[in-house]
Amino acid sequence: MSFSDFPCNSCGWCCKRTPCPLGLYLGETPLTSCSKLLETSKDKFECGLIVNETNLLKKEAARSLMLAGEGCSHIYGPSPI
């Protein structure tokens, strides 16, 4: 089973566990909650690097590098909300 077997539900579980490689490159501390994680509505989270980026090329590059929205990395599938 892989993370793509379960759809992303924007629960933020993955980013709460550890920053993605892009976050680590930008100075986030491993094995901590990513400081770029934003709660955009009740129990829904998005990456601030994507939400706040105005350049569409950079936004899509970040989304691609993070695999944002591509699946769930939670071992038991998406976190129920």
Side-chain angles (χ1 to χ4, degrees):
M1 231 181 242
S2 72
F3 79 99
S4 61
D5 291 336
F6 299 100
C8 175
N9 66 2
S10 301
C11 70
W13 184 89
C14 50
C15 301
K16 290 174 187 174
R17 299 283 297 162
T18 191
C20 70
L22 183 57
L24 294 172
Y25 176 77
L26 294 172
E28 293 292 321
T29 305
L31 303 176
T32 62
S33 182
C34 184
S35 68
K36 309 289 190 248
L37 187 62
L38 302 174
E39 188 169 12
T40 55
S41 64
K42 184 171 174 10
D43 297 323
K44 295 287 183 178
F45 295 84
E46 291 185 66
C47 177
L49 294 173
I50 295 173
V51 171
N52 297 324
E53 181 56 61
T54 57
N55 181 300
L56 291 178
L57 184 59
K58 289 181 180 179
K59 184 179 281 214
E60 285 307 309
R63 187 181 307 280
S64 178
L65 286 170
M66 293 177 206
L67 299 174
E70 294 296 317
C72 185
S73 61
H74 192 290
I75 192 169
Y76 301 113
S79 171
I81 293 181

